[in-house]
Coordinates of all heavy atoms in Angstrom, one line a residue:
M1 N 0.8 -1.2 0.0 CA 0.0 0.0 0.0 C 0.9 1.2 0.0 O 0.5 2.2 -0.7 CB -0.9 -0.1 1.2 CG -1.9 1.0 1.2 SD -3.1 0.8 -0.1 CE -4.2 2.1 0.3
K2 N 2.0 1.2 0.8 CA 2.9 2.3 0.8 C 3.4 2.6 -0.5 O 3.7 3.8 -0.9 CB 4.0 2.1 1.8 CG 3.5 2.1 3.3 CD 4.6 1.9 4.2 CE 4.1 1.8 5.7 NZ 5.2 1.6 6.6
K3 N 3.8 1.6 -1.3 CA 4.4 1.8 -2.6 C 3.4 2.4 -3.6 O 3.8 3.4 -4.4 CB 4.8 0.4 -3.2 CG 6.0 -0.2 -2.6 CD 6.4 -1.5 -3.2 CE 7.5 -2.1 -2.5 NZ 7.9 -3.3 -3.1
I4 N 2.1 2.1 -3.5 CA 1.1 2.7 -4.4 C 0.9 4.1 -4.0 O 0.9 5.0 -4.9 CB -0.3 2.0 -4.2 CG1 -0.1 0.5 -4.7 CG2 -1.3 2.7 -4.9 CD1 -1.3 -0.4 -4.5
I5 N 0.9 4.5 -2.7 CA 0.8 5.9 -2.3 C 2.1 6.7 -2.7 O 1.9 7.9 -3.3 CB 0.6 6.0 -0.8 CG1 -0.8 5.4 -0.4 CG2 0.7 7.4 -0.3 CD1 -1.0 5.3 1.1
A6 N 3.2 6.1 -2.6 CA 4.4 6.9 -3.0 C 4.4 7.0 -4.6 O 4.9 8.2 -5.0 CB 5.6 6.0 -2.6
F7 N 4.1 6.0 -5.3 CA 4.0 6.2 -6.7 C 3.0 7.3 -7.1 O 3.3 8.1 -8.0 CB 3.6 4.8 -7.4 CG 3.4 4.9 -8.8 CD1 4.5 5.0 -9.6 CD2 2.1 5.0 -9.4 CE1 4.3 5.1 -11.1 CE2 2.0 5.1 -10.7 CZ 3.1 5.1 -11.6
T8 N 1.9 7.3 -6.5 CA 0.9 8.3 -6.8 C 1.4 9.7 -6.5 O 1.2 10.6 -7.3 CB -0.4 8.1 -6.1 OG1 -0.8 6.7 -6.3 CG2 -1.6 9.0 -6.4
L9 N 2.0 9.9 -5.4 CA 2.6 11.2 -5.1 C 3.6 11.7 -6.0 O 3.7 12.8 -6.4 CB 3.1 11.2 -3.6 CG 2.0 11.1 -2.5 CD1 2.8 11.0 -1.1 CD2 1.1 12.3 -2.5
C10 N 4.5 10.7 -6.5 CA 5.6 11.0 -7.4 C 5.0 11.4 -8.8 O 5.5 12.2 -9.4 CB 6.5 9.9 -7.5 SG 7.6 9.7 -6.0
A11 N 3.9 10.7 -9.2 CA 3.3 10.9 -10.4 C 2.7 12.4 -10.4 O 2.8 13.1 -11.4 CB 2.2 9.9 -10.7
F12 N 2.0 12.7 -9.3 CA 1.5 14.0 -9.3 C 2.5 15.1 -9.2 O 2.4 16.1 -9.8 CB 0.5 14.2 -8.1 CG -0.8 13.5 -8.3 CD1 -1.3 12.6 -7.4 CD2 -1.6 13.8 -9.4 CE1 -2.5 12.0 -7.5 CE2 -2.8 13.2 -9.5 CZ -3.3 12.3 -8.6
A13 N 3.6 14.9 -8.5 CA 4.7 15.9 -8.4 C 5.3 16.0 -9.8 O 5.7 17.2 -10.2 CB 5.7 15.4 -7.4
S14 N 5.6 15.0 -10.5 CA 6.2 15.1 -11.9 C 5.2 15.8 -12.8 O 5.7 16.5 -13.6 CB 6.7 13.7 -12.3 OG 5.5 12.9 -12.6
A15 N 4.0 15.6 -12.8 CA 3.0 16.2 -13.6 C 3.0 17.7 -13.3 O 2.9 18.4 -14.3 CB 1.6 15.5 -13.4
A16 N 3.1 18.0 -12.1 CA 3.1 19.5 -11.8 C 4.4 20.2 -12.3 O 4.3 21.3 -12.7 CB 3.1 19.7 -10.2
V17 N 5.6 19.5 -12.2 CA 6.7 20.1 -12.8 C 6.6 20.2 -14.2 O 7.0 21.3 -14.9 CB 8.0 19.1 -12.4 CG1 9.1 19.5 -13.2 CG2 8.2 19.2 -11.0
F18 N 6.1 19.2 -15.0 CA 6.0 19.4 -16.4 C 5.0 20.4 -16.9 O 5.1 20.9 -17.9 CB 5.7 17.9 -17.1 CG 7.0 17.1 -17.1 CD1 6.9 15.9 -16.5 CD2 8.1 17.5 -17.8 CE1 8.0 15.1 -16.4 CE2 9.2 16.7 -17.8 CZ 9.2 15.4 -17.1
A19 N 4.0 20.6 -16.1 CA 2.9 21.5 -16.4 C 3.4 23.0 -16.4 O 2.8 23.8 -17.0 CB 1.8 21.3 -15.5
T20 N 4.5 23.3 -15.7 CA 5.0 24.6 -15.6 C 6.2 24.9 -16.5 O 6.8 26.0 -16.2 CB 5.3 24.9 -14.1 OG1 6.4 24.0 -13.7 CG2 4.1 24.8 -13.2
L21 N 6.5 24.1 -17.4 CA 7.5 24.4 -18.3 C 7.3 25.6 -19.2 O 6.2 25.6 -19.7 CB 8.0 23.2 -19.1 CG 8.6 22.1 -18.4 CD1 8.8 20.8 -19.3 CD2 9.9 22.4 -17.7
P22 N 8.2 26.5 -19.4 CA 8.0 27.6 -20.3 C 8.1 27.1 -21.8 O 8.6 26.0 -22.2 CB 9.2 28.5 -20.1 CG 10.3 27.6 -19.6 CD 9.5 26.5 -18.8
P23 N 7.5 27.9 -22.8 CA 7.5 27.5 -24.1 C 9.0 27.5 -24.7 O 9.9 28.2 -24.2 CB 6.8 28.6 -24.8 CG 6.6 29.7 -23.9 CD 6.8 29.1 -22.6
L24 N 9.3 26.7 -25.7 CA 10.6 26.7 -26.2 C 11.0 27.9 -26.9 O 10.2 28.6 -27.6 CB 10.8 25.4 -27.3 CG 10.7 24.1 -26.6 CD1 10.7 23.1 -27.7 CD2 11.8 23.8 -25.7
S25 N 12.4 28.3 -26.9 CA 12.8 29.5 -27.7 C 12.9 29.0 -29.1 O 12.8 27.8 -29.5 CB 14.2 29.8 -27.2 OG 15.1 28.7 -27.5
P26 N 12.9 30.0 -30.0 CA 12.9 29.6 -31.5 C 14.1 28.7 -31.9 O 13.9 27.7 -32.7 CB 13.0 30.9 -32.2 CG 12.5 31.9 -31.2 CD 12.8 31.4 -29.9
E27 N 15.2 28.9 -31.2 CA 16.4 28.0 -31.5 C 16.2 26.6 -31.0 O 16.5 25.6 -31.7 CB 17.7 28.6 -30.9 CG 18.1 29.9 -31.4 CD 17.4 31.1 -30.7 OE1 16.8 30.9 -29.6 OE2 17.4 32.2 -31.3
A28 N 15.6 26.4 -29.9 CA 15.3 25.2 -29.3 C 14.2 24.5 -30.1 O 14.3 23.3 -30.4 CB 14.9 25.3 -27.8
Q29 N 13.3 25.2 -30.6 CA 12.2 24.6 -31.4 C 12.8 24.2 -32.7 O 12.4 23.1 -33.2 CB 11.1 25.7 -31.7 CG 9.9 25.2 -32.4 CD 9.1 24.1 -31.7 OE1 9.0 24.1 -30.5 NE2 8.7 23.1 -32.4
E30 N 13.7 24.9 -33.3 CA 14.3 24.6 -34.6 C 15.2 23.3 -34.4 O 15.1 22.3 -35.2 CB 15.2 25.7 -35.1 CG 15.7 25.4 -36.4 CD 16.5 26.6 -37.0 OE1 16.1 27.7 -36.6 OE2 17.5 26.4 -37.7
A31 N 15.9 23.2 -33.2 CA 16.7 22.0 -32.9 C 15.7 20.8 -32.7 O 16.1 19.7 -33.1 CB 17.5 22.2 -31.7
A32 N 14.6 21.0 -32.1 CA 13.7 19.9 -31.9 C 13.1 19.4 -33.2 O 12.9 18.2 -33.4 CB 12.5 20.3 -30.9
N33 N 12.8 20.4 -34.1 CA 12.2 19.9 -35.4 C 13.3 19.2 -36.2 O 13.0 18.3 -36.9 CB 11.8 21.2 -36.2 CG 10.6 21.8 -35.6 OD1 9.8 21.2 -34.9 ND2 10.3 23.1 -35.9
L34 N 14.6 19.7 -36.1 CA 15.6 18.9 -36.8 C 15.8 17.5 -36.2 O 16.0 16.6 -37.0 CB 17.0 19.7 -36.7 CG 18.2 19.1 -37.3 CD1 18.0 18.9 -38.9 CD2 19.4 19.8 -37.0
A35 N 15.7 17.4 -35.0 CA 15.9 16.0 -34.4 C 14.7 15.2 -34.8 O 14.8 14.0 -35.1 CB 16.0 16.1 -32.9
K36 N 13.5 15.7 -34.9 CA 12.3 15.0 -35.3 C 12.4 14.6 -36.7 O 12.1 13.4 -37.1 CB 11.1 15.9 -35.1 CG 9.7 15.2 -35.3 CD 8.6 16.2 -34.8 CE 7.5 16.2 -35.7 NZ 6.5 17.1 -35.4
A37 N 13.0 15.4 -37.6 CA 13.2 15.1 -39.0 C 14.2 14.0 -39.2 O 14.1 13.1 -40.0 CB 13.5 16.3 -39.8
K38 N 15.3 14.1 -38.4 CA 16.4 13.1 -38.4 C 15.8 11.7 -38.0 O 16.2 10.7 -38.6 CB 17.5 13.5 -37.6 CG 18.4 14.5 -38.2 CD 19.7 14.8 -37.4 CE 20.5 15.9 -38.0 NZ 21.7 16.2 -37.1
T39 N 15.0 11.7 -36.9 CA 14.4 10.4 -36.5 C 13.5 9.8 -37.6 O 13.6 8.6 -37.8 CB 13.6 10.7 -35.2 OG1 14.6 11.3 -34.2 CG2 13.0 9.4 -34.7
A40 N 12.7 10.7 -38.2 CA 11.8 10.2 -39.2 C 12.5 9.7 -40.4 O 12.2 8.6 -40.9 CB 10.9 11.3 -39.7
Y41 N 13.7 10.3 -40.7 CA 14.5 9.8 -41.8 C 15.1 8.5 -41.4 O 15.3 7.6 -42.3 CB 15.5 10.9 -42.2 CG 16.4 10.4 -43.4 CD1 15.8 10.4 -44.7 CD2 17.7 10.0 -43.2 CE1 16.7 10.0 -45.8 CE2 18.5 9.6 -44.3 CZ 18.0 9.5 -45.5 OH 18.8 9.1 -46.6
G42 N 15.6 8.4 -40.3 CA 16.2 7.1 -39.8 C 15.2 6.0 -39.8 O 15.6 4.9 -40.1
D43 N 14.0 6.3 -39.6 CA 12.9 5.3 -39.6 C 12.7 4.8 -41.1 O 12.6 3.6 -41.3 CB 11.6 5.8 -39.1 CG 11.7 6.0 -37.6 OD1 12.6 5.4 -36.9 OD2 10.8 6.7 -37.0
K44 N 12.8 5.7 -42.0 CA 12.7 5.4 -43.4 C 13.9 4.5 -43.9 O 13.7 3.6 -44.6 CB 12.6 6.6 -44.3 CG 11.3 7.4 -44.2 CD 11.3 8.6 -45.0 CE 10.1 9.5 -44.7 NZ 10.1 10.8 -45.5
V45 N 15.0 4.8 -43.4 CA 16.2 4.1 -43.8 C 16.2 2.7 -43.2 O 16.4 1.7 -43.8 CB 17.6 4.8 -43.4 CG1 18.7 4.0 -43.5 CG2 17.7 6.1 -44.2
G46 N 15.7 2.7 -42.0 CA 15.5 1.4 -41.3 C 14.5 0.4 -42.0 O 14.7 -0.7 -42.2
A47 N 13.4 1.1 -42.4 CA 12.4 0.3 -43.2 C 13.0 -0.2 -44.5 O 12.7 -1.3 -44.9 CB 11.2 1.1 -43.4
Y48 N 13.8 0.6 -45.2 CA 14.4 0.2 -46.5 C 15.4 -1.0 -46.2 O 15.3 -1.9 -47.0 CB 15.1 1.4 -47.0 CG 15.9 1.0 -48.3 CD1 15.3 0.6 -49.4 CD2 17.3 1.1 -48.2 CE1 16.0 0.3 -50.6 CE2 18.0 0.7 -49.3 CZ 17.4 0.4 -50.5 OH 18.2 0.0 -51.6
K49 N 16.2 -1.0 -45.2 CA 17.1 -2.0 -44.9 C 16.4 -3.3 -44.5 O 16.8 -4.4 -44.9 CB 18.1 -1.6 -43.8 CG 19.1 -0.5 -44.3 CD 20.1 -0.2 -43.2 CE 21.0 0.8 -43.7 NZ 22.0 1.2 -42.6
L50 N 15.3 -3.1 -43.8 CA 14.4 -4.3 -43.4 C 13.9 -4.9 -44.6 O 13.8 -6.1 -44.8 CB 13.4 -3.9 -42.5 CG 12.3 -5.0 -42.1 CD1 13.1 -6.1 -41.3 CD2 11.3 -4.4 -41.2
C51 N 13.4 -4.1 -45.5 CA 12.9 -4.6 -46.8 C 13.9 -5.4 -47.6 O 13.6 -6.4 -48.2 CB 12.2 -3.4 -47.7 SG 11.6 -3.9 -49.3
L52 N 15.1 -4.9 -47.6 CA 16.2 -5.6 -48.4 C 16.5 -6.9 -47.7 O 16.6 -7.9 -48.5 CB 17.4 -4.7 -48.4 CG 17.4 -3.4 -49.3 CD1 18.8 -2.7 -49.2 CD2 17.2 -3.8 -50.8
A53 N 16.5 -6.9 -46.4 CA 16.8 -8.2 -45.7 C 15.7 -9.2 -46.0 O 15.9 -10.4 -46.1 CB 17.0 -7.9 -44.2
Q54 N 14.4 -8.7 -45.9 CA 13.3 -9.6 -46.1 C 13.4 -10.2 -47.5 O 13.0 -11.4 -47.7 CB 12.0 -8.9 -45.9 CG 11.7 -8.7 -44.4 CD 10.6 -7.8 -44.2 OE1 10.0 -7.1 -45.0 NE2 10.0 -7.9 -42.9
N55 N 13.7 -9.4 -48.5 CA 13.7 -9.9 -49.9 C 14.9 -10.9 -50.0 O 14.7 -11.7 -50.8 CB 13.9 -8.7 -50.8 CG 12.6 -8.0 -51.1 OD1 11.6 -8.3 -50.7 ND2 12.7 -6.8 -51.8
K56 N 16.0 -10.7 -49.4 CA 17.1 -11.6 -49.5 C 16.7 -13.0 -48.9 O 16.9 -14.0 -49.5 CB 18.3 -11.1 -48.8 CG 19.5 -11.8 -48.8 CD 20.7 -11.2 -48.1 CE 21.9 -12.1 -48.1 NZ 23.0 -11.5 -47.4
V57 N 16.0 -13.0 -47.8 CA 15.6 -14.2 -47.2 C 14.4 -14.9 -48.1 O 14.5 -16.1 -48.4 CB 15.0 -14.0 -45.7 CG1 14.4 -15.3 -45.2 CG2 16.1 -13.6 -44.9
A58 N 13.5 -14.0 -48.6 CA 12.5 -14.5 -49.5 C 13.0 -15.2 -50.7 O 12.5 -16.2 -51.3 CB 11.5 -13.4 -49.8
D59 N 14.1 -14.6 -51.3 CA 14.7 -15.2 -52.4 C 15.3 -16.5 -52.2 O 15.4 -17.4 -53.1 CB 15.8 -14.2 -53.0 CG 15.3 -13.0 -53.8 OD1 14.1 -13.2 -54.2 OD2 16.0 -12.0 -53.9
Q60 N 15.8 -16.8 -51.0 CA 16.4 -18.1 -50.7 C 15.3 -19.2 -50.6 O 15.7 -20.3 -50.9 CB 17.1 -18.0 -49.3 CG 18.4 -17.1 -49.3 CD 19.0 -17.0 -48.0 OE1 18.4 -17.4 -46.9 NE2 20.2 -16.4 -47.9
Y61 N 14.2 -18.8 -50.2 CA 13.1 -19.8 -50.0 C 12.1 -19.8 -51.2 O 11.1 -20.6 -51.1 CB 12.4 -19.6 -48.7 CG 13.2 -19.9 -47.5 CD1 13.8 -18.9 -46.8 CD2 13.5 -21.2 -47.1 CE1 14.7 -19.2 -45.7 CE2 14.2 -21.5 -46.0 CZ 14.8 -20.5 -45.4 OH 15.7 -20.7 -44.3
R62 N 12.3 -18.9 -52.2 CA 11.3 -18.9 -53.3 C 11.4 -20.1 -54.1 O 12.5 -20.6 -54.5 CB 11.7 -17.6 -54.1 CG 10.6 -17.3 -55.1 CD 10.8 -15.9 -55.7 NE 12.2 -15.6 -56.1 CZ 12.6 -15.6 -57.4 NH1 11.7 -15.8 -58.4 NH2 13.8 -15.3 -57.6
V63 N 10.3 -20.6 -54.5 CA 10.2 -21.8 -55.4 C 10.4 -21.2 -56.8 O 9.8 -20.2 -57.2 CB 8.8 -22.4 -55.2 CG1 8.6 -23.5 -56.2 CG2 8.6 -22.9 -53.8
P64 N 11.2 -21.9 -57.6 CA 11.4 -21.5 -59.0 C 10.0 -21.4 -59.8 O 9.1 -22.3 -59.6 CB 12.2 -22.5 -59.6 CG 12.9 -23.2 -58.5 CD 12.0 -23.1 -57.3
G65 N 9.8 -20.4 -60.4 CA 8.5 -20.1 -61.2 C 7.6 -19.2 -60.5 O 6.6 -18.8 -61.1
T66 N 7.8 -18.8 -59.2 CA 7.0 -17.9 -58.6 C 7.5 -16.5 -58.7 O 8.7 -16.3 -59.1 CB 6.9 -18.3 -57.0 OG1 8.2 -18.2 -56.5 CG2 6.3 -19.6 -56.9
A67 N 6.7 -15.5 -58.4 CA 7.0 -14.1 -58.7 C 8.1 -13.7 -57.6 O 8.1 -14.2 -56.5 CB 5.8 -13.2 -58.5
A68 N 8.9 -12.8 -58.1 CA 9.9 -12.3 -57.1 C 9.3 -11.4 -56.1 O 8.2 -10.7 -56.4 CB 11.0 -11.5 -57.9
P69 N 9.9 -11.1 -55.0 CA 9.3 -10.2 -54.0 C 9.3 -8.8 -54.5 O 10.1 -8.5 -55.5 CB 10.2 -10.3 -52.8 CG 11.3 -11.1 -53.2 CD 11.1 -11.8 -54.4
A70 N 8.5 -7.9 -53.9 CA 8.4 -6.5 -54.5 C 9.7 -5.8 -54.2 O 10.4 -6.0 -53.2 CB 7.2 -5.9 -53.7
A71 N 10.0 -4.9 -55.2 CA 11.3 -4.1 -55.1 C 11.2 -3.1 -53.9 O 10.1 -2.6 -53.7 CB 11.5 -3.5 -56.4
C72 N 12.2 -2.8 -53.3 CA 12.3 -1.8 -52.2 C 12.7 -0.5 -52.9 O 13.5 -0.5 -53.7 CB 13.4 -2.2 -51.2 SG 13.1 -3.8 -50.5
T73 N 12.1 0.5 -52.4 CA 12.4 1.9 -52.9 C 13.3 2.6 -51.8 O 12.9 2.6 -50.7 CB 11.2 2.7 -53.1 OG1 10.4 2.8 -51.9 CG2 10.3 2.1 -54.2
A74 N 14.4 3.0 -52.3 CA 15.4 3.7 -51.4 C 14.8 5.1 -51.0 O 14.3 5.8 -51.9 CB 16.8 3.8 -52.0
P75 N 15.0 5.5 -49.7 CA 14.6 6.8 -49.4 C 15.5 7.8 -50.0 O 16.7 7.7 -50.2 CB 14.7 6.8 -47.8 CG 15.8 5.7 -47.5 CD 15.6 4.7 -48.6
P76 N 14.9 9.0 -50.3 CA 15.8 10.1 -50.8 C 16.8 10.6 -49.8 O 16.6 10.3 -48.6 CB 14.7 11.2 -51.1 CG 13.6 11.0 -50.3 CD 13.5 9.5 -50.1
P77 N 17.8 11.2 -50.2 CA 18.8 11.8 -49.2 C 18.1 12.7 -48.2 O 17.1 13.4 -48.5 CB 19.8 12.6 -50.0 CG 19.4 12.4 -51.4 CD 18.1 11.7 -51.6
F78 N 18.7 12.8 -47.0 CA 18.2 13.6 -45.9 C 18.3 15.1 -46.3 O 19.3 15.6 -46.7 CB 18.9 13.4 -44.7 CG 18.4 14.2 -43.5 CD1 17.1 14.1 -43.0 CD2 19.2 15.2 -43.0 CE1 16.7 14.8 -41.9 CE2 18.8 16.0 -41.9 CZ 17.5 15.8 -41.4
V79 N 17.2 15.8 -46.1 CA 17.1 17.3 -46.3 C 16.6 17.9 -45.1 O 15.5 17.6 -44.6 CB 16.2 17.6 -47.5 CG1 16.1 19.2 -47.7 CG2 16.7 17.0 -48.8
P80 N 17.4 18.6 -44.4 CA 17.0 19.3 -43.1 C 15.8 20.2 -43.3 O 15.7 20.9 -44.3 CB 18.2 20.0 -42.5 CG 19.1 20.1 -43.6 CD 18.8 19.1 -44.7
P81 N 14.9 20.3 -42.4 CA 13.8 21.2 -42.5 C 14.2 22.7 -42.6 O 15.2 23.0 -41.9 CB 12.9 21.0 -41.4 CG 13.8 20.3 -40.3 CD 14.8 19.6 -41.1
V82 N 13.6 23.5 -43.3 CA 14.0 24.9 -43.4 C 13.2 25.7 -42.5 O 11.9 25.5 -42.3 CB 13.7 25.4 -44.9 CG1 14.1 26.8 -45.1 CG2 14.5 24.6 -45.9
A83 N 13.8 26.6 -41.8 CA 13.1 27.4 -40.8 C 12.1 28.4 -41.6 O 12.3 28.7 -42.7 CB 14.2 28.3 -40.0
A84 N 11.0 28.6 -40.9 CA 9.9 29.4 -41.5 C 10.4 30.8 -41.9 O 10.0 31.4 -42.9 CB 8.8 29.5 -40.6
A85 N 11.3 31.4 -41.1 CA 11.8 32.7 -41.4 C 12.6 32.7 -42.6 O 12.6 33.7 -43.3 CB 12.5 33.3 -40.2
Q86 N 13.4 31.7 -42.8 CA 14.3 31.7 -44.0 C 13.5 31.3 -45.3 O 13.9 31.7 -46.3 CB 15.4 30.6 -43.8 CG 16.4 31.0 -42.6 CD 17.3 29.9 -42.3 OE1 17.2 28.8 -42.9 NE2 18.3 30.1 -41.5
A87 N 12.5 30.6 -45.1 CA 11.6 30.0 -46.2 C 10.8 31.1 -46.9 O 10.6 31.2 -48.1 CB 10.8 28.9 -45.8
A88 N 10.3 32.1 -46.1 CA 9.5 33.1 -46.6 C 10.1 34.5 -46.3 O 9.8 35.2 -45.3 CB 8.1 33.0 -46.0
P89 N 10.9 34.9 -47.2 CA 11.5 36.4 -47.0 C 10.5 37.4 -47.2 O 9.4 37.2 -48.0 CB 12.6 36.4 -48.1 CG 12.2 35.5 -49.1 CD 11.5 34.3 -48.4
A90 N 10.6 38.5 -46.6 CA 9.6 39.6 -46.7 C 9.6 40.1 -48.1 O 10.7 40.4 -48.6 CB 9.9 40.6 -45.6
A91 N 8.4 40.3 -48.6 CA 8.3 40.8 -50.0 C 8.3 42.3 -49.9 O 7.7 42.9 -49.0 CB 6.9 40.4 -50.5
P92 N 9.0 43.0 -50.8 CA 9.0 44.4 -50.8 C 7.7 45.1 -51.2 O 7.0 44.5 -52.0 CB 10.1 44.8 -51.8 CG 10.2 43.6 -52.7 CD 9.8 42.5 -51.9
T93 N 7.3 46.1 -50.5 CA 6.0 46.7 -50.8 C 6.2 47.9 -51.7 O 7.2 48.7 -51.6 CB 5.3 47.2 -49.5 OG1 6.1 48.0 -48.8 CG2 5.0 46.0 -48.7
A94 N 5.4 48.1 -52.7 CA 5.5 49.2 -53.6 C 4.7 50.3 -53.1 O 3.5 50.2 -52.9 CB 5.0 48.8 -55.0
A95 N 5.4 51.5 -52.9 CA 4.7 52.7 -52.5 C 4.4 53.6 -53.7 O 5.3 53.9 -54.4 CB 5.5 53.4 -51.4
K96 N 3.1 54.0 -53.8 CA 2.8 54.9 -54.9 C 2.0 56.0 -54.4 O 1.3 56.1 -53.6 CB 2.0 54.1 -55.9 CG 2.8 53.2 -56.8 CD 2.0 52.6 -57.9 CE 2.8 51.6 -58.7 NZ 2.0 51.1 -59.8

């Protein structure tokens, strides 16, 4: 019973700490977006390598005369996300 009470108190204390965090600065937000994009790209590369490995194993057990496994498509090279400020430069206004 004491463990349950201690766990509950720790859960509420940690929830209170996370609830009071300030918003991220633009630099930190950009770094978080870059990390998110790198993780997503890593997942794509991992899926491609898994597909290659599965096709290799499937080729070993394939009966002659049956269709070959589907071809794997390689992910494009990694392109880091562009910051919103750099992507849309301010357009000059014409004064008449």
Side-chain angles (χ1 to χ4, degrees):
M1 185 69 174
K2 290 180 184 179
K3 289 181 182 180
I4 294 173
I5 293 172
F7 174 76
T8 305
L9 290 176
C10 289
F12 283 127
S14 65
V17 168
F18 284 118
T20 59
L21 291 176
L24 293 175
S25 67
E27 295 84 15
Q29 183 66 39
E30 187 175 328
N33 289 341
L34 179 62
K36 187 170 141 184
K38 284 183 179 179
T39 302
Y41 181 73
D43 291 344
K44 289 179 187 178
V45 171
Y48 172 68
K49 289 181 179 181
L50 176 65
C51 180
L52 290 176
Q54 287 175 339
N55 283 352
K56 184 177 177 180
V57 171
D59 282 338
Q60 291 176 352
Y61 292 100
R62 188 167 48 103
V63 176
T66 59
C72 302
T73 56
F78 177 71
V79 178
V82 180
Q86 295 172 353
T93 57
K96 288 186 180 182

